[in-house]
């Protein structure tokens, strides 16, 4: 195996998030503008190009891959791409290979894809679901249909995939549903993860008003539910507790109120081949240029190493003003969350 990727702070990069498309069949208010302009097709890497880059990361020590977007399941050819990446799974100790491939999806097409995901070797999926109320679901996603996401979750469970529901907790929007979501996840056998709103990309909405610190949410949850400590980690930024009454895990992702950077092992590859070393910083490396210039693997790996050498210590989100210096201009759908 080629030497591992280690950043200047001694953190080994072993987790790659890959956004396979910036397109989506929903327009969530915190993520996209209503009239979103998507990237011109020639700028987007083919799935073969993305697969080659993934392979280079695997050779340099990546053990986990998360496929995201935009909505990954709207990308044509995604089935073959996942099958092909599945070939890197379980290759045994000491050989470059993946321990895990996961997917983050809005669930709209999950019902049709669940059997294929299982066959490709996925064991768990994250499904975004902010509300169980059809009208609210429509208001938050602008165009989505709740029943399709619910069917997707059922289908994934039926295929034996573990499901984690991702819920962005928003003031005056869905904060009154957190208890019912905990109970519902208990019934369907899913874990739940609460996420703070991050200031990424102009969505035509002011997120300041919706920002809800999870420290406050947690205190409210603890009045009704018993949260037991849990050491469970997935390699991602969530910190977990176990809900004694349901037996399911409850995660908290708190980029705004708690800095989770010290153990960061992640980098993100956009669908244009741009490598972001930190979700909350603008610095990036263009891997499409060396790829399309036909450079050999070793030279592209050298460019990846040069980028990892610039991985910052942490992010610095600020949510006070939409145009505040801590806000990030690119949309979450570009980097994939
Ligand atoms: N379309 C898929 C989905 O919705 O799960 C995958 C991509 S989406 C960008 C990944 C995650 O980012 C979702 O769970 C979504 O809720 C979250 N997200 C998007 N914009 C966000 C923001 N501004 N703050 C916090 N989370 C955000
Ligand atoms: Fe699409 Fe996911 Fe963004 Fe919602 S959060 S608009 S589903 S990419």
């Amino acid at each position: 195996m080629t030497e591992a990727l280690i950043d200047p702070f001694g953190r080994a990069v072993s987790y790659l998030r890959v956004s396979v498309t910036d397109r989506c069949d929903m327009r969530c208010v915190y993520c996209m503008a209503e009239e979103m302009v998507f990237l011109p097709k020639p700028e987007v890497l083919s799935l073969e190009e993305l697969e080659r880059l993934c392979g280079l990361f695997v050779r340099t020590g990546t053990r986990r891959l998360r496929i995201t977007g935009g909505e990954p399941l709207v990308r044509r050819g995604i089935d073959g791409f996942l099958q092909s990446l599945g070939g890197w799974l379980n290759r045994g100790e000491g050989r470059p290979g993946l321990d895990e491939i996961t997917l983050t999806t809005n669930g709209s097409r999950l019902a049709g894809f669940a059997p294929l995901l299982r066959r490709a070797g996925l064991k768990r999926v994250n499904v975004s679901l902010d509300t169980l109320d059809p009208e609210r679901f429509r208001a938050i996603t602008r165009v989505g249909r709740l029943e399709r996401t619910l069917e997707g979750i059922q289908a994934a469970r039926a295929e034996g995939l573990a499901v984690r529901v991702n819920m962005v907790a928003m003031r005056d929007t869905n904060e009154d549903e957190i208890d019912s979501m905990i109970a519902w996840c208990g019934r369907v056998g899913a874990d739940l993860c609460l996420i703070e709103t991050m200031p990424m990309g102009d969505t035509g909405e002011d997120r300041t008003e919706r920002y809800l610190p999870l420290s406050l949410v947690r205190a409210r949850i603890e009045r009704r539910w018993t949260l037991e400590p849990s050491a469970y980690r997935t390699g991602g930024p969530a910190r977990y507790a176990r809900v004694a009454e349901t037996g399911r895990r409850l995660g908290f992702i708190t980029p705004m109120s708690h800095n989770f950077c010290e153990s960061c092992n992640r980098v993100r590859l956009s669908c244009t081949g741009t490598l972001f070393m930190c979700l909350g910083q603008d610095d990036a490396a263009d891997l499409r240029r060396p790829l399309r210039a036909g450079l050999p693997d070793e030279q592209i790996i050298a460019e990846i190493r040069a980028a990892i050498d610039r991985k910052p210590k942490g992010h610095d989100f600020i949510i006070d003003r939409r145009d505040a210096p801590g806000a990030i201009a690119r949309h979450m759908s570009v980097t994939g969350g």
Side-chain angles (χ1 to χ4, degrees), residues 24 26-28 30-32 69-71 106 333:
C24 187
M26 297 190 192
R27 296 285 184 281
C28 301
Y30 45 74
C31 179
M32 289 195 182
E71 174 48 40
N106 64 27
S333 52

Side-chain angles (χ1 to χ4, degrees), residues 311-327:
K311 185 165 159 65
K313 191 157 182 220
H315 67 63
D316 193 18
F317 283 125
I318 299 170
I319 201 158
D320 300 343
R321 295 199 331 262
R322 214 154 41 143
D323 59 348

Side-chain angles (χ1 to χ4, degrees), residues 30-31 68-71 104-106 128 166 168 196-198 332:
Y30 45 74
C31 179
T68 175
E71 174 48 40
T104 303
T105 172
N106 64 27
S128 301
N166 278 350
V168 177
E196 284 175 351
T197 330
M198 289 174 249
M332 187 74 107

